[in-house]
Structure formats: C-alpha cells, structure tokens
Amino acid sequence: MANGAQRSEWTRAVRGFHAGARSDFGSCSFAVVVASSVNGAGGAVPTVLLLCSQGVPNSVIESGERARVQPETTEASRLVETAIQEGLLATLFGRCRVEYEGRAASTLKEGERLVVLKPDGTALVHSDEGQKPVNWQPPGCTHEVQTDGDSLVVRSRRETPEEVLLVEFESVDHVAIFDVTDDHDLSLTGTEEDLRDRILEDPSILEPGFEPRATERQTPAGAVDIYGVDGDGNAVVVELKRRRVGPDAVSQLNRYVESLERDLHAETTVRGFLVAPSVTERASRLLGERGLEFVSLAPSPDT
C-alpha cells in the first residue's frame, strides 16, 4: 500500500496532469481516478484513469474530421459551409432563436434546438417535443451560413414564394456533417391497395361467384373501390377500409349504393359490401338497417 507521502506526491502529479489535460483537450471535461497497483519489485505504482464526459476531445479532431463538440463559432461556420458547398447533410445543436418571414411571420425566442440542413434545400428546426419541426423550409431552398460576432447565423431562403428562415445560435454544443446515401423509397404495407389486390387476386374471398368488373368506378357520390357482379348478376359495390371502422364508413357505402341504384336500370339490384378488419357495434347495427353486408378481411393475410 502507498504511504501518506506517496499519496500526496501522486495527488500533486495528478493535479498537474489534470490541469494540463484541460488545456490540451479544449472543451472536454474530465474525471481523474487514482488507484494503486503493485509492480514487480513489490512497490506501489499509481494507476491513473482519465474519463472524458463530453465525447471526443476537440484537440484529437483533425482538420479533415466532420464533427465538433462545443466548437468555436468559426469552426462551426466552416463545417456548415463545407456541407453547403459539397452537398452534404449538416446538423447543429445549441441555443438559438428562430425567425421566419414570408407569407406570414413568426419568432421563436432563445432555446435549445436541433437544426438539420439537407442537401435538397430542406431545413428543419426541432425542439425536444413532438415529431414535427417547430419551423421548417421545403426542398429547393438555398442555405447560407455566416458569423456575427460570437453568434452563428444560418439562413434558408426560398425564392417562390419569397420566404426566409433565420436561425441565430448564441452557442453551438455540437455540429456535424454527413455524406448520406439512401437509395431506397419507403415501402408501405397494410394499405387499402393491399386489401384491393387480395380481392382481385381471389374474388371468392368476398363471396363465391363474385366477379370484379372495375376499380375506382366513378359515381355521382364518388369513386367506388371495387365494382362487380355477384353470381346472380346483381351489381356489387365494395368499399375497402384497412382499419376498424364506424358508422361513417357505412354511410359512405350507402351513398354509393343509392347513387348506382339511380344510375343503373330500375330493376337492377345493387348490393353493398363493407370490407374491413372489423366494425364497431353501431356500424354493425347500421349495416343491418341499411341492408348492407360486412366481410371481415385484413390487408395482409398475416394480420
């Protein structure tokens, strides 16, 4: 074990190292833990653990790196300008105010926010709540960045209509730029189109003998999802819903049926089918009252 004199010597050494570390590593904060171990000769040797609490220290980020923690204003400006010039995505987090002027005007006072600048001209300003940005600019805008004293100013300009989004950072905690590649579009499943395709591929799912004749058939009341005939030659109107539905869906189907009854031959029977995973009790009662039918079917067989 180390004696009191050794501990004092280690403490002085660590304090000196800690002070030097702060100057060498810029804005990174440290915790220093000192323990003792035994060397081969049986003597006590200090073991120093250096823990950084704020990510990668600034001094180890080379000039070619593309992220900074608590950067100087000029450093943040340089990175964002690089992103704009090279068509990269940039993110900034810090304390800022936001102003918009265009078809209307708005102001967000100082607060901590995340700003995203995309290569397609999109600009997004996010707070710590909700999924939607608190302010934004659409694709096609032009991004600009400049310094104003100790502040970093980002502008996103739209030509038509003329709109300007201004974000002024009084401090930037983090800035990063990325060369993003994403070649895939979002693929949706469980849609009404999936439900329609299931019936068109196997019409007997609706009922044996059903024969689809058209999709999106126009009527004075709107477009019918699927129009066809049953085994007896009666006209069939099919309304598709991908989720559990209530009385509104029944009323919509009834309007289609009544519209076709007026348009078709007077003696033609028009049947109405509501196709959905499930219906509410009120919807079920209304279906019976209107002489309409319900088929429980999900967009995907696995649902």
Side-chain angles (χ1 to χ4, degrees):
M1 296 292 292
N3 58 33
Q6 286 176 315
R7 289 197 183 94
S8 297
E9 185 64 26
W10 294 353
T11 300
R12 286 193 294 272
V14 168
R15 283 175 178 167
F17 175 75
H18 194 190
R22 284 187 180 277
S23 62
D24 289 342
F25 286 85
S27 63
C28 191
S29 298
F30 296 93
V32 178
V33 179
V34 181
S36 64
S37 59
V38 179
N39 63 15
V45 177
T47 299
V48 179
L49 303 178
L50 180 63
L51 307 178
C52 178
S53 65
Q54 296 184 12
V56 181
N58 281 347
S59 66
V60 300
I61 299 179
E62 301 296 334
S63 59
E65 293 290 339
R66 297 189 170 185
R68 289 276 180 169
V69 177
Q70 294 183 336
E72 297 292 335
T73 302
T74 53
E75 293 175 329
S77 177
R78 176 181 58 79
L79 277 178
V80 175
E81 182 64 32
T82 297
I84 294 172
Q85 295 299 323
E86 296 184 10
L88 307 178
L89 183 145
T91 63
L92 302 99
F93 179 80
R95 188 169 181 81
C96 63
R97 67 179 181 88
V98 183
E99 293 187 0
Y100 163 81
E101 186 172 347
R103 290 171 291 180
S106 65
T107 299
L108 274 173
K109 294 184 179 180
E110 288 76 6
E112 292 183 335
R113 301 181 182 99
L114 172 68
V115 175
V116 181
L117 303 176
K118 298 187 179 183
D120 67 355
T122 301
L124 305 172
V125 182
H126 283 278
S127 68
D128 62 340
E129 295 181 345
Q131 63 184 20
K132 295 182 179 180
V134 292
N135 216 324
W136 60 282
Q137 287 277 65
C141 296
T142 301
H143 302 320
E144 304 169 1
V145 62
Q146 67 183 70
T147 58
D148 184 5
D150 293 332
S151 299
L152 179 72
V153 180
V154 176
R155 287 184 177 85
S156 180
R157 299 180 183 274
R158 186 183 186 189
E159 295 296 332
T160 306
E162 186 175 352
E163 296 176 301
V164 177
L165 179 68
L166 181 146
V167 183
E168 182 175 354
F169 285 91
E170 66 177 52
S171 63
V172 178
D173 294 323
H174 186 272
V175 58
I177 61 178
F178 307 91
D179 187 0
V180 179
T181 301
D182 186 354
D183 298 326
H184 299 285
D185 293 328
L186 181 66
S187 178
L188 294 177
T189 58
T191 65
E192 289 182 7
E193 287 76 11
D194 294 329
L195 196 55
R196 179 196 63 195
D197 291 343
R198 287 195 67 189
I199 294 175
L200 295 179
E201 290 171 3
D202 183 7
S204 64
I205 291 178
L206 189 71
E207 74 170 19
F210 172 64
E211 180 183 335
R213 294 286 180 85
T215 59
E216 299 299 318
R217 186 189 192 283
Q218 293 298 321
T219 75
V224 172
D225 289 330
I226 299 178
Y227 172 77
V229 295
D230 64 15
D232 296 325
N234 298 312
V236 174
V237 173
V238 182
E239 176 63 18
L240 306 174
K241 299 296 181 183
R242 67 187 184 92
R243 293 180 177 174
R244 178 179 175 86
V245 293
D248 287 347
V250 179
S251 298
Q252 182 181 7
L253 173 60
N254 192 62
R255 289 194 297 271
Y256 294 151
V257 170
E258 291 178 344
S259 178
L260 280 175
E261 285 176 339
R262 290 191 295 267
D263 284 358
L264 298 176
H265 192 277
E267 296 180 358
T268 301
T269 298
V270 180
R271 299 173 63 193
F273 283 81
L274 179 60
V275 179
S278 63
V279 296
T280 64
E281 291 185 8
R282 287 185 59 197
S284 181
R285 289 196 301 269
L286 190 58
L287 284 165
E289 293 171 2
R290 301 290 174 84
L292 304 173
E293 301 170 65
F294 170 67
V295 173
S296 177
L297 189 66
S300 170
D302 299 328
T303 304

